[in-house]
Amino acid sequence: MTPAPLARRLVAEAVGTALLVAVVVGSGIAAQRLSPDDIGLQLLENSTATVFGLTVLILLFGPVSGAHFNPVVSAADWLLGRRAGTGLAGSDVAAYAVAQTVGAIAGAVLANLMFDVEVTRLATTERTDAQLLLGEVVATAGLVALIFALARTGRGALAAPAVGAYIGAAYWFTSSTSFANPAVTIGRVFSDSFAGIDPASVPGFLAAQIVGGALGLALVRYLYPDVAAAADDVVVPHTDRSTL
């Protein structure tokens, strides 16, 4: 398959990640206002919006860029496919990560503007406990393993609902509420809301996500030894259809 031009893929990754963070942060702000005295209900509202929002965004942008929206997924795609000549080119990984991170910050700012939250105020929610970092390892490992297992077994068409469902479930079964994404983690710094994370907590989350990504990749390589052949189809199969 011939991938879409890099510029087009980067736009898809930036806009897709921006909208994902707008969904996460915006629904978090709305939940905080709608249910100010019930944290459990806030989490339910936030996770439900994220499940549907992420599913729709993968369907929308996946055919262009694969809908990674996540530097860990992009790096894993490159690492897995580099020997087999599949997946992202090494020169594209950094560009993807920059586009995703810039998009994530823009998405948080957009959510702030929509809900009239002070744009220049950074998040103050501390997330530094060891159990939260363990939750991020688990959440990220599961996400990476799921994505590559679906690609390897030819079930990429199920990625949108499956990834959405996994993240929605991980909101509840992980102590960290499943950020599982370095770009989204950085983006959430820029909104002092229910979904935010203070800057001092970010390095620990990023480290946990990298460890989780490595563990997830190791697991899927063990379960599916020839998984590298499917790296081109992560998160969903994508190719340049502009001439069709």
Side-chain angles (χ1 to χ4, degrees):
M1 294 189 298
T2 302
L6 179 59
R8 191 185 304 164
R9 286 183 279 140
L10 294 180
V11 169
E13 287 295 302
V15 175
T17 310
L19 292 175
L20 173 58
V21 174
V23 168
V24 172
V25 172
S27 63
I29 297 170
Q32 197 171 25
R33 293 180 179 179
L34 292 170
S35 311
D37 301 318
D38 192 333
I39 295 177
L41 186 54
Q42 290 175 18
L43 187 61
L44 178 61
E45 293 161 346
N46 190 205
S47 62
T48 300
T50 301
V51 169
F52 290 119
L54 179 55
T55 300
V56 169
L57 292 173
I58 292 174
L59 291 172
L60 176 60
F61 295 104
V64 179
S65 67
H68 293 185
F69 308 152
N70 188 332
V72 166
V73 172
S74 298
D77 188 39
W78 167 68
L79 285 169
L80 191 62
R82 61 193 177 124
R83 291 184 179 178
T86 58
L88 270 184
S91 58
D92 293 351
V93 176
Y96 262 56
V98 170
Q100 291 155 354
T101 303
V102 170
I105 295 170
V109 172
L110 175 61
N112 289 340
L113 292 172
M114 288 193 294
F115 286 91
D116 196 25
V117 173
E118 185 178 346
V119 174
T120 58
R121 185 183 176 101
L122 298 182
T124 56
T125 303
E126 295 185 8
R127 304 177 188 264
T128 56
D129 293 342
Q131 65 264 28
L132 301 184
L133 302 183
L134 177 59
E136 277 301 284
V137 171
V138 171
T140 311
L143 176 63
V144 169
L146 171 64
I147 287 170
F148 284 91
L150 289 173
R152 169 59 189 83
T153 55
R155 294 177 294 165
L158 297 176
V163 171
Y166 175 80
I167 292 297
Y171 259 82
W172 293 90
F173 78 77
T174 66
S175 54
S176 64
T177 66
S178 183
F179 287 41
N181 184 328
V184 169
T185 301
I186 293 171
R188 288 166 76 156
V189 168
F190 292 85
S191 181
D192 190 18
S193 64
F194 174 76
I197 178 172
D198 80 302
S201 301
V202 168
F205 263 56
L206 298 186
Q209 290 157 359
I210 292 170
V211 171
L215 291 175
L217 199 55
L219 174 62
V220 81
R221 287 195 66 169
Y222 178 76
L223 295 175
Y224 303 97
D226 57 348
V227 67
D232 281 327
D233 294 337
V234 174
V235 170
V236 296
H238 49 286
T239 186
D240 187 358
R241 301 179 182 273
S242 60
T243 59
L244 296 183

